[in-house]
Amino acid sequence: MTKPTAVSVRDLACEIRTGRQSSLNLLESVLDRIEAIDELNAFITVTEESARNRARMADDAAARGDDLGPLHGVPVAIKDLRTRKAGIRHTMGLAPLTDNVADDDSITVERLEAAGAVIVGTTNTPALGHTIKTENKLVGATPTPFDHDRSAGGSSGGSAAALAAGVVPLATGSDIGGSLRVPASCCNVVGLKPTFGLIPERVPRDGFNTHSPFFVGGPMARTVEDTAVLLDVLAGQDDRDPFSVPQPETDYTGATDRPTNELSVAYSPNLDLQPVSQVVRETVNDAVTELAAAGATVDTVDLSLPSYEDLSMAYVTQVGVFFSAFAQHLGDRYDIDFAAADVEDTVHSTITLGTETDAATDRLQNVPRTAAYEEIQDTLAGYDVLVTPTLTVPPYSKRLADGYPTEIDGHSVMGVPTDVMLTWVFNMTGHPVASIPAGFTDEGLPVGLQIVGRRFAEEDILSVAAAIERVRPWTDQYPGV
């Protein structure tokens, strides 16, 4: 029996569709694997019953000669935040929602199941997806499979760990500051934050809350091609999302075959914004050097973004307002008093960030945000993509209580999440970005690099990502766990 991560998603779906592989048998191996990696806390809820029903349906359709779609019988994991499946526990990582059950499907689940996918469970996330370590009071901390003392990243850490541990070939994540890309970097997988509006969200009560900073859902996978397949399933307009846009007439999967010598890349080791550890710089530089040797045009560029202090303050202000409003909506809907609720201290501090911000102060943060957008636009005007490190350091401690590094590359830093990542800038600007594996430290810890594209130019990102994957393949470099 083929493992779900051993072949491409397209080949796996074809095997099930043509009867050479049983979706139900494949699912049973997935459920066994979930049990085997229980110490990773990658899942909050495993959906055995509904998954078996879906797998049987896929096998029955194959026996009739029916085609359920591009994900016919393929197992998929979904992040337990805004992605929800009716009748399945939906916690958003919050202890007060331990017994909450979703009463409707999110658009992402609708599209996954319309494409034939078998949803096997919901993956771990910090409460409200509020930070870049995946730990909560429900199931505990999720480490990277490469080092069980270090974080899988957040807030899509459960999805990234499940992929790296070989449970499923596809998973969903979401991103408001790096929540897709940080776990992708920590777990040596691919995570794509698409252009705002490309993948629609149906947000109960406040469909307009995802723009400051830009909050998006996106695909995660082990390979670039599988990521492209999932993007094609999830993208496209839905009128229930006021920001959603029509899907461009783009062959995302076909973009992965673009010749390397047609690609042009701007490379920045640190966005000229903040310190990056030597081991991360060297690993990403090696990947970029190999890409150039394979025929791509690669130029090191300088950027003139607003200062780290001004731009990070803009981000922290707007993300604080976002989470404060998010918590208030949930409090009203589920009768949660966050001031007294059993939630992590970091949840309280994140919510507090926005409670004392007035509307004018919040809106004024768009000034440095606009300057950053214009600078990235100017840089991309002469290139297909911009490449940078994803994180400024290797994977850090998995425990929320341990905090973050206070020194990077000999520079004192504040020990806050924005110090350890270069991802949040692009939630301010709205550009699409993927994080892909770049290589490993001498300790065997994964390092990721970001590929930034023009708005709605995901095909350029996928083309460069696939070119790097060809020269530095990583699918045989996962631990047994």
Side-chain angles (χ1 to χ4, degrees):
M1 179 173 58
T2 304
K3 290 183 179 180
T5 55
V7 297
S8 73
V9 163
R10 288 194 295 179
D11 288 345
L12 184 58
C14 182
E15 289 181 1
I16 298 169
R17 189 183 299 117
T18 57
R20 299 195 305 273
Q21 169 85 272
S22 163
S23 178
L24 183 59
N25 288 345
L26 184 65
L27 172 65
E28 295 300 336
S29 71
V30 168
L31 297 176
D32 289 344
R33 185 64 177 153
I34 291 174
E35 184 175 351
I37 63 151
D38 182 64
E39 64 186 290
L40 295 183
N41 299 323
F43 286 83
I44 292 180
T45 302
V46 182
T47 58
E48 295 102 326
E49 182 178 353
S50 64
R52 287 190 176 105
N53 289 337
R54 289 283 303 181
R56 291 188 190 99
M57 184 182 74
D59 287 340
D60 290 345
R64 295 191 303 268
D66 295 341
D67 183 355
L68 296 184
L71 302 182
H72 189 127
V74 174
V76 179
I78 60 173
K79 180 181 179 180
D80 191 357
L81 191 59
R82 300 214 186 192
T83 306
R84 58 198 179 275
K85 178 172 168 57
I88 300 300
R89 185 165 65 146
H90 182 222
T91 72
M92 292 174 269
L94 280 168
L97 294 182
T98 299
D99 299 319
N100 181 58
V101 174
D103 55 14
D104 67 342
D105 289 341
S106 63
I107 295 172
T108 289
V109 166
E110 290 176 357
R111 292 186 173 183
L112 286 171
E113 295 195 332
V118 175
I119 295 172
V120 302
T122 66
T123 56
N124 200 19
T125 181
L128 303 183
H130 77 286
T131 192
I132 56 171
K133 293 185 180 187
T134 294
E135 183 181 16
N136 58 41
K137 292 176 177 289
L138 287 167
V139 298
T142 297
T144 173
F146 292 88
D147 183 335
H148 290 196
D149 290 326
R150 295 177 185 256
S151 181
S155 61
S156 306
S159 287
L163 289 166
V167 178
V168 288
L170 298 174
T172 67
S174 58
D175 197 308
I176 195 172
S179 290
L180 268 160
R181 293 158 288 151
V182 170
S185 182
C186 288
C187 294
N188 207 59
V189 299
V190 182
L192 174 63
K193 180 188 84 70
T195 308
F196 182 63
L198 186 63
I199 295 178
E201 294 272 347
R202 183 171 73 230
V203 183
R205 302 187 65 183
D206 185 0
F208 292 90
N209 78 335
T210 54
H211 59 70
S212 292
F214 291 125
F215 176 97
V216 296
M220 304 181 75
R222 279 193 175 202
T223 71
V224 176
E225 180 189 292
D226 287 353
T227 305
V229 170
L230 185 50
L231 178 62
D232 195 54
V233 167
L234 299 180
Q237 189 168 13
D238 188 299
D239 287 341
R240 291 170 292 182
D241 180 349
F243 294 116
S244 71
V245 297
Q247 181 173 344
E249 294 183 4
T250 299
D251 180 2
Y252 294 124
T253 306
T256 62
D257 294 326
R258 185 174 167 190
T260 303
N261 61 9
E262 294 181 0
L263 304 173
S264 60
V265 174
Y267 169 50
S268 172
N270 64 353
L271 294 179
D272 297 300
L273 189 67
Q274 58 197 96
V276 173
S277 67
Q278 181 178 348
V279 66
V280 169
R281 288 198 317 271
E282 290 177 349
T283 305
V284 172
N285 188 70
D286 287 348
V288 171
T289 299
E290 288 193 38
L291 179 64
T297 298
V298 178
D299 295 327
T300 301
V301 298
D302 297 322
L303 286 90
S304 297
L305 295 169
S307 70
Y308 174 80
E309 291 73 20
D310 288 347
L311 196 55
S312 63
M313 179 58 70
Y315 172 74
V316 169
T317 299
Q318 292 196 331
V319 82
V321 170
F322 173 92
F323 278 109
S324 294
F326 188 20
Q328 185 169 328
H329 283 309
L330 292 179
D332 292 344
R333 185 176 183 186
Y334 297 109
D335 193 26
I336 300 171
D337 178 3
F338 277 94
D342 182 26
V343 298
E344 295 76 3
D345 290 343
T346 49
V347 173
H348 288 299
S349 59
T350 301
I351 292 171
T352 302
L353 285 174
T355 55
E356 298 179 358
T357 301
D358 61 53
T361 298
D362 180 47
R363 293 300 293 267
L364 285 171
Q365 305 315 310
N366 287 333
V367 175
R369 184 177 180 179
T370 299
Y373 172 80
E374 291 174 346
E375 179 63 13
I376 300 301
Q377 285 290 97
D378 288 346
T379 300
L380 288 169
Y383 299 91
D384 292 320
V385 299
L386 167 67
V387 168
T388 83
T390 305
L391 293 171
T392 64
V393 295
Y396 34 77
S397 169
K398 67 182 179 181
R399 298 295 181 190
L400 287 170
D402 290 342
Y404 298 92
T406 55
E407 181 179 296
I408 298 174
D409 195 37
H411 298 270
S412 295
V413 295
M414 294 183 290
V416 295
T418 50
D419 293 334
V420 301
M421 54 183 179
L422 288 168
T423 54
W424 53 276
V425 174
F426 304 106
N427 294 84
M428 302 297 281
T429 66
H431 290 89
V433 194
S435 178
I436 68 168
F440 294 90
T441 70
D442 289 342
E443 297 176 300
L445 297 173
V447 173
L449 64 80
Q450 291 189 106
I451 306 171
V452 185
R454 291 181 292 272
R455 296 177 70 244
F456 302 107
E458 279 77 4
E459 71 273 18
D460 289 337
I461 293 172
L462 292 165
S463 295
V464 174
I468 295 174
E469 186 178 22
R470 288 193 292 269
V471 299
R472 291 172 74 89
W474 56 76
T475 56
D476 62 347
Q477 297 177 321
Y478 290 99
V481 184

